[in-house]
Amino acid sequence: MQIFKTKWFARWAAKEELAEQSLRNAVVEIEAGLIDAYLGSHVVKKRIGLSGRGKSGGVRTLLAFQMEDKAFFLYGFSKNQRDNISNKELRGLRLLAANLLAYDRRALNKAVKAQELIEVDYEDEE
């Protein structure tokens, strides 16, 4: 499983102090079928707890997810910032998900090199 975050998501996650281990844990949970919502076209919504606040006080993340292949963290927001995304935003995220999930190894490497995508190590860092 390869895990990536978009440049926008990486900046947002840093501001929220969202650890990469939390992203890895979220992907493991999604692989086990624990998602908050399937939004269609390989886009899933997953709540992630922040240190000391748990999932209910944490953040909401939207991912492009292909089982046993790739996961892309696309967008995130705090529950206290907004309730959900608009239909227009969802359409855009579905289109982005389709494009990213179609990337082959060469396209992924190019996007990482250009710093448009940041790879998250899937294996636990010990």
Side-chain angles (χ1 to χ4, degrees):
M1 172 65 80
Q2 291 183 283
I3 304 171
F4 299 92
K5 48 190 174 179
T6 62
K7 183 168 48 173
W8 181 93
F9 185 92
R11 283 193 307 261
W12 173 83
K15 287 181 202 170
E16 294 291 330
E17 299 178 358
L18 185 57
E20 286 200 350
Q21 182 61 47
S22 297
L23 301 180
R24 287 190 291 272
N25 292 344
V27 169
V28 168
E29 289 179 7
I30 293 169
E31 287 182 306
L34 301 172
I35 63 169
D36 295 304
Y38 178 71
L39 304 176
S41 302
H42 296 281
V43 177
V44 297
K45 181 178 179 181
K46 181 70 179 156
R47 289 184 299 166
I48 300 177
L50 294 175
S51 181
R53 294 194 306 199
K55 286 187 180 180
S56 64
V59 295
R60 306 319 183 239
T61 60
L62 299 172
L63 296 86
F65 184 82
Q66 180 71 46
M67 186 66 83
E68 299 179 11
D69 190 15
K70 297 176 237 161
F72 296 89
F73 283 87
L74 306 174
Y75 188 72
F77 57 95
S78 296
K79 187 178 176 184
N80 64 0
Q81 289 178 328
R82 63 189 303 179
D83 290 328
N84 219 333
I85 60 170
S86 70
N87 286 333
K88 184 177 181 180
E89 289 169 316
L90 179 56
R91 285 191 299 274
L93 289 172
R94 286 177 177 161
L95 182 61
L96 178 58
N99 288 331
L100 291 173
L101 290 170
Y103 277 16
D104 60 13
R105 182 177 305 276
R106 186 174 179 187
L108 285 170
N109 289 339
K110 186 177 179 181
V112 168
K113 188 174 181 178
Q115 299 180 344
E116 293 300 319
L117 293 176
I118 296 95
E119 188 162 12
V120 176
D121 288 328
Y122 186 65
E123 297 300 319
D124 199 18
E125 297 174 353
E126 298 190 69

